[in-house]
Amino acid sequence: MTLIADILPFPEKPEDRLRRALRTLNAALDEQRAAVAGLRRELGALSGAVAGLGTSLQAYSHSLADTQEAVLGAHAEARRLDATADAMLVACQG
């Protein structure tokens, strides 16, 4: 015959429950502080990345404007050369 004993919990005092609840609350607050600090670090990194992206986009925009200016100049020169070639053809035929 095997006897299995039931384990009875010690009676708990209200102040013990309060102490345990406060320890649990303090642990949760510590976790929250760590999470907020991590969030602030990540937001700082994101802010730096966005600022860098803004600078890169501004440089890219200036580069596109310079390219547009060069293309317009090349186009005007090509039209001038085309007109010169037409004038030479007329001169040779005439």
Side-chain angles (χ1 to χ4, degrees), residues 13-28:
K13 297 178 193 172
E15 46 287 346
D16 292 339
R17 286 180 48 211
L18 178 60
R19 248 184 249 113
R20 191 173 59 242
L22 287 174
R23 278 193 303 267
T24 303
L25 177 60
N26 281 332

Side-chain angles (χ1 to χ4, degrees), residues 8 23 26 28-29 35 37 46 48 53 61 63 70-74 77 93:
L8 299 174
R23 278 193 303 267
N26 281 332
L29 287 173
L46 179 61
L53 179 61
S61 174
S63 178
V71 166
L72 290 174
E77 187 64 23
Q93 291 173 353

Side-chain angles (χ1 to χ4, degrees), residues 24-74:
T24 303
L25 177 60
N26 281 332
L29 287 173
D30 288 342
E31 288 179 21
Q32 186 179 29
R33 273 191 277 288
V36 167
L39 177 62
R40 285 187 177 142
R41 275 192 310 276
E42 294 302 320
L43 286 174
L46 179 61
S47 176
V50 168
L53 179 61
T55 301
S56 293
L57 286 175
Q58 201 170 34
Y60 182 64
S61 174
H62 289 303
S63 178
L64 284 177
D66 292 345
T67 302
Q68 180 185 18
E69 187 176 322
V71 166
L72 290 174

